[in-house]
Amino acid sequence: MTLTINGIAQEHVEPLTVQALLDVLGFEGKPVVVELNQRALFPRELGETALHDGDALEVVQITAGG
């Protein structure tokens, strides 16, 4: 399936949840904000939201600094 992640088209194997994709991308355990098809997801939704061919995601890692 083709997913657009932060503006870049990528191929991934189905089936895949948002959390599984984050793990594959190296975000496992890191605080992130995810938007799926222009809708922000709650953290509790990441493990239960399935991805489909053509979905667009924006993933932003939350970092602290000062």
Side-chain angles (χ1 to χ4, degrees):
M1 102 176 101
T2 302
L3 302 171
T4 303
I5 304 167
N6 294 346
I8 300 170
Q10 298 182 20
E11 291 294 323
H12 291 274
V13 179
E14 296 182 75
L16 200 61
T17 63
V18 174
Q19 185 61 59
L21 176 66
L22 292 173
D23 295 348
V24 167
L25 295 175
F27 290 105
E28 183 176 3
K30 296 179 182 175
V32 294
V33 175
V34 178
E35 185 180 89
L36 174 60
N37 299 325
Q38 300 181 342
R39 183 180 83 78
L41 298 177
F42 289 103
R44 67 177 179 267
E45 296 178 287
L46 300 179
E48 60 193 40
T49 303
L51 295 171
H52 303 91
D53 189 47
D55 281 345
L57 295 101
E58 293 292 325
V59 181
V60 177
Q61 184 174 345
I62 300 170
T63 57

